[in-house]
Amino acid sequence: MSKNKSGLKISYNSPVVLGFTLICLISLVLSSITHGASNQLVFSVYRSSLLSPLTYIRFFGHIFGHADWEHFFGNITYILLLGPLLEEKYGKTDMIMIIAITAFVTGLINFIFFPHVMLLGASGVVFAFILLSSFTGFQNGKIPLTFIIVAVIYIGQQVYNGIFIHNNISELTHIIGGLIGSVFGFVENKFKR
């Protein structure tokens, strides 16, 4: 924590989110320096030999890789907006757990079902955070209307895009991330209160 002359302090308020952001930034810089080789080696997931230890690292590492600065800023803006509030509510351990589960599940599904697609980026985590954040008002067994609206808008948009728009964006990763955030938010708020 640093203090300036006006008495204001800068606090390291969200270590998991800030650490995640830093790893993503380092990964992007490495990708720029290596002309994408580091992304292919560690920071993306695709079908590769199960005998290679890097295959298992990529199941988690793909969430740190980004194709370019625009991709990075798009994801990190949401992470930095939503993450600190979620980390304050759920704590460091739960945040690490939801990030790791999202990484593993989206990586494994891409590995199994999309053998020729190289997946990278934190958008699955972003969607997990978006849907999880709508559970902050959950109380006494009532599902917040905001959750229903957010789920319909975000998941519906991804289903529509997946069916009608052909681009390089993995809508399935977004949907899976959103489902993981929803399940986590429901379980955490219903059974741990």
Side-chain angles (χ1 to χ4, degrees):
M1 206 178 291
S2 64
K3 188 174 182 179
N4 63 24
K5 293 180 183 184
S6 66
L8 296 176
K9 299 175 184 179
I10 297 173
S11 69
Y12 194 70
N13 63 320
S14 187
V16 172
V17 170
L18 290 170
F20 182 87
T21 301
L22 181 61
I23 294 169
C24 289
L25 177 62
I26 291 168
S27 135
L28 183 58
V29 169
L30 283 173
S31 177
S32 297
I33 292 169
T34 64
H35 304 288
S38 62
N39 271 355
Q40 187 162 2
L41 186 66
V42 182
F43 301 117
S44 61
V45 66
Y46 48 87
R47 181 74 58 86
S48 57
S49 172
L50 291 172
L51 298 175
S52 170
L54 289 175
T55 297
Y56 302 98
I57 292 171
R58 286 191 287 266
F59 282 145
F60 296 94
H62 71 96
I63 61 170
F64 301 117
H66 288 86
D68 53 34
W69 288 102
E70 184 179 353
H71 187 207
F72 170 80
F73 286 126
N75 283 333
I76 293 304
T77 300
Y78 279 107
I79 299 276
L80 290 171
L81 282 171
L82 300 170
L85 300 172
L86 295 172
E87 190 169 335
E88 184 178 325
K89 178 175 174 70
Y90 296 105
K92 295 176 207 162
T93 304
D94 283 349
M95 292 302 291
I96 291 169
M97 186 172 64
I98 195 160
I99 291 168
I101 290 169
T102 302
F104 180 72
V105 171
T106 56
L108 184 64
I109 287 174
N110 190 80
F111 182 89
I112 293 169
F113 295 107
F114 303 99
H116 305 295
V117 175
M118 188 171 90
L119 177 69
L120 73 161
S123 58
V125 175
V126 167
F127 273 76
F129 281 12
I130 288 170
L131 274 289
L132 179 60
S133 69
S134 65
F135 266 98
T136 56
F138 187 92
Q139 50 185 290
N140 300 329
K142 297 176 186 172
I143 296 177
L145 180 58
T146 53
F147 166 75
I148 295 168
I149 294 170
V150 168
V152 167
I153 290 171
Y154 277 95
I155 302 296
Q157 178 188 24
Q158 295 312 303
V159 170
Y160 175 84
N161 289 348
I163 294 170
F164 297 109
I165 299 173
H166 299 288
N167 55 28
N168 288 331
I169 298 171
S170 174
E171 282 82 11
L172 183 60
T173 299
H174 298 171
I175 293 167
I176 293 166
L179 291 174
I180 291 169
S182 300
V183 169
F184 183 87
F186 181 77
V187 169
E188 183 72 17
N189 285 289
K190 178 153 180 75
F191 298 112
K192 292 193 177 180
R193 293 259 166 222

